[in-house]
Amino acid sequence: MKPTLMTASNAHIVFAGGGTWGHLFPGLAVARRLAEWLPDARITFAGTGKSRERRQAIAAGFPYIALPASPVPSRASETWRFLSHNVAGYFAAKKFLRDEPASLVVGLGGFASAAVVQAAIARQVPTVLLEQNALPGRATRWYASSASLLCAAFDDVRQHLGPRTPVLVTGNPVRPEFDAIYRRGGETETERDPQAPRRLVILGGSNGASTLNEVVPRTLHMLRLRLRNWTIVHQTGRHGRNKTAERYEKLQLPAEVVSFVDDMAGLLGEADLVIGRAGGTTLAELAMAGVPAVLVPYPHATGDHQLRNARAMARHRACRIVDQRNPGSHLDQRLAVALDDLLSNDALRGRMAGQIRSLAKPHAAEDVARAVCSLVGIDPRRAAA
């Protein structure tokens, strides 16, 4: 259905999804840009109802509604719950879109977006999908052929979609706090005082990474002589903090161990090296901050998309990859090999920082917002004026 020309005052844009920070934060970045351009438009977030997700949306100034949703089950015993939740979510989404007509729906990916995106397509509401990874997820693959536009973080997604799928490679929108970090550009490693402490950050993603929580302290103990001028910040996820802190204490390695990082831009803006997973949003934030990284892709990610993300970055020498599934040696030993020269060689880290910064897409949120404006019939040039 061709969108009807309208003004910002009667536009209603719905962001569907969340579930993880990697899906939610790009949506919030786009929504904030739209709110700046179209202060009279209504913007609503629809998600799974997780308290942290609700809090983030409301703190950003957007109404939030919860709809039933469940991920694709890994066990047969979960099939009924999956079917009942998602059917209920679909009918709830249809009712919401009937009662609160939307001008456009932005699907943020993941199972949490499926009900609203499907209902929007059924009602012929223009739909934009955001895809954060090099390999499109299930929700993207299911609905891409019916969407008005797919905004992708990686050009690699094209080869996995039908030739008629409209794809715009925008990069992955990041939180606005990263804009200042990117503009600042960061001083190069060679310009810094060689005696100033360096900062190593370990990131496990919004839910943490139990493997990193267990392995990284042992790895850093092997490299303790390299770490004399380094501080360590380790983000564990909600359930891993106490055990991880105990591991560092037992190994007599000073480390700041936290469950969650509220100010990720501030942390990465002061980081010199990161060990982390390879989710699309994490990589976009690393690029904006210009931080070199050793990536340990999550091996159970759907379609192995984290490894594909990491390889897309590694092609530009912007990171190193340690695949935790590789046989032949222990993960802690292979991780130590990947870190060894990076901890001691400022110039090497500086070159990698420049490579990863060159991959940043600082206008991603703006580009997606412009596409949304165009699809709802609002001149994006006038909107941005």
Side-chain angles (χ1 to χ4, degrees):
M1 180 176 71
K2 185 177 181 180
T4 303
L5 287 173
M6 62 182 68
T7 64
S9 60
N10 63 10
H12 180 206
I13 300 165
V14 177
F15 285 78
T20 67
W21 295 144
H23 289 120
L24 180 64
F25 286 149
L28 286 172
V30 175
R32 284 176 172 133
R33 184 55 56 91
L34 287 169
E36 292 172 5
W37 292 356
L38 313 173
D40 295 328
R42 292 175 58 206
I43 297 174
T44 304
F45 274 74
T48 61
K50 290 181 179 179
S51 59
R52 62 182 188 179
E53 184 178 294
R54 184 191 301 272
R55 285 197 303 270
Q56 289 286 334
I58 292 174
F62 305 116
Y64 180 93
I65 66 164
L67 299 172
S70 290
V72 174
S74 56
R75 296 192 296 258
S77 60
E78 299 170 341
T79 301
W80 173 247
R81 182 175 185 271
F82 167 75
L83 292 173
S84 60
H85 274 213
N86 288 289
V87 168
Y90 172 69
F91 283 107
K94 283 189 72 174
K95 182 178 186 302
F96 169 70
L97 294 178
R98 183 183 67 241
D99 296 344
E100 305 286 343
S103 313
L104 182 141
V105 166
V106 181
L108 304 182
F111 72 92
S113 70
V116 180
V117 170
Q118 186 175 359
I121 291 170
R123 293 183 61 82
Q124 295 186 297
V125 176
T127 306
V128 173
L129 305 180
L130 301 191
E131 179 50 63
Q132 298 85 14
N133 298 299
L135 177 72
R138 289 191 184 99
T140 297
R141 296 196 302 272
W142 289 340
Y143 303 118
S145 62
S146 302
S148 307
L149 181 66
L150 190 151
C151 293
F154 296 90
D155 188 65
D156 303 49
V157 301
R158 295 183 192 273
Q159 62 187 296
H160 303 288
L161 301 170
R164 294 186 179 180
T165 300
V167 176
L168 176 65
V169 180
T170 58
N172 203 358
V174 298
R175 288 169 274 186
E177 301 94 304
F178 281 90
D179 293 343
I181 302 296
Y182 178 79
R183 288 195 299 270
R184 191 176 73 197
E187 58 189 347
T188 67
E189 289 283 353
T190 55
E191 291 172 339
R192 293 185 56 184
D193 178 358
Q195 301 305 315
R198 281 17 180 178
R199 178 177 287 185
L200 173 65
V201 175
I202 298 92
L203 298 176
S206 58
N207 295 319
S210 58
T211 297
L212 297 186
N213 293 345
E214 180 180 346
V215 169
V216 169
R218 295 202 307 266
T219 297
L220 298 184
H221 184 257
M222 297 177 191
L223 298 169
R224 58 193 178 279
L225 297 180
R226 299 285 197 198
L227 291 167
R228 287 175 175 169
N229 198 33
W230 286 79
T231 60
I232 301 167
V233 180
H234 190 133
Q235 177 259 325
T236 63
R238 183 174 57 179
H239 300 297
R241 184 190 176 282
N242 291 340
K243 285 187 177 180
T244 305
E246 289 172 4
R247 293 183 184 109
Y248 280 107
E249 290 172 8
K250 189 175 295 185
L251 295 169
Q252 297 183 329
L253 276 176
E256 180 182 355
V257 182
V258 298
S259 299
F260 182 73
V261 177
D262 291 311
D263 182 13
M264 186 63 74
L267 178 64
L268 293 184
E270 299 297 327
D272 297 277
L273 182 63
V274 163
I275 304 169
R277 294 303 199 188
T281 296
T282 295
L283 299 189
E285 292 177 347
L286 290 174
M288 288 288 284
V291 185
V294 175
L295 302 176
V296 187
Y298 179 55
H300 306 297
T302 305
D304 215 7
H305 69 255
Q306 286 206 7
L307 182 58
R308 292 170 185 259
N309 292 348
R311 285 174 173 167
M313 305 291 279
R315 287 200 296 265
H316 300 274
R317 300 189 302 280
C319 67
R320 290 181 178 175
I321 302 173
V322 177
D323 189 341
Q324 74 178 67
R325 297 167 301 187
N326 283 354
S329 62
H330 295 294
L331 178 58
D332 52 2
Q333 295 171 347
R334 288 185 286 115
L335 191 53
V337 170
L339 288 165
D340 190 13
D341 58 340
L342 286 171
L343 291 171
S344 59
N345 191 326
D346 290 352
L348 174 59
R349 289 197 310 277
R351 290 193 295 273
M352 286 184 67
Q355 290 299 114
I356 198 167
R357 188 179 287 113
S358 72
L359 301 178
K361 301 289 186 182
H363 304 297
E366 179 177 317
D367 289 343
V368 176
R370 286 184 187 278
V372 168
C373 287
S374 295
L375 285 166
V376 298
I378 298 173
D379 186 343
R381 293 170 296 182
R382 184 165 44 185

